[in-house]
Amino acid sequence: LPCPPADETAFITQRRTRANRGLGLEMAMALVEAGARAVYCTDIPKTPGEEWQKVKQYLSRMEGKGRLEYISADVRDQVRY
């Protein structure tokens, strides 16, 4: 998918499920690199994994870019969430 111009993503906040690692995390990183202000990564583990931590550190070194935040949740549990 082509990324929208940076000026169109400057105020976007995204939530990615299954974003603790792998493809979900890659998509979250691409959103921040494209200019999203914040990407909330939702996954089942209580704490983010090593891969997620490394991507967060990488993105924090990029001046003017957005940030990743981690939320532990099971989005399959529709009653709870």
Side-chain angles (χ1 to χ4, degrees):
L1 294 173
C3 290
D7 59 335
E8 293 180 20
T9 61
F11 298 104
I12 290 177
T13 301
Q14 268 285 324
R15 189 183 98 197
R16 294 291 324 145
T17 58
R18 307 282 299 174
N20 188 37
R21 61 184 178 83
L23 187 56
L25 180 56
E26 287 291 326
M27 293 170 71
M29 182 172 69
L31 286 165
V32 172
E33 290 176 330
R37 178 186 290 178
V39 178
Y40 293 88
C41 302
T42 307
D43 212 333
I44 296 171
K46 295 292 181 198
T47 58
E50 184 179 341
E51 186 178 351
W52 189 91
Q53 295 287 355
K54 288 180 180 181
V55 169
K56 182 175 174 94
Q57 288 174 358
Y58 164 76
L59 292 172
S60 70
R61 293 190 302 265
M62 300 175 72
E63 288 188 32
K65 293 293 182 179
R67 69 184 194 283
L68 291 183
E69 298 293 337
Y70 186 80
I71 299 168
S72 174
D74 185 349
V75 296
R76 299 171 298 175
D77 187 352
Q78 296 296 313
V79 174
R80 184 170 181 188
Y81 300 102

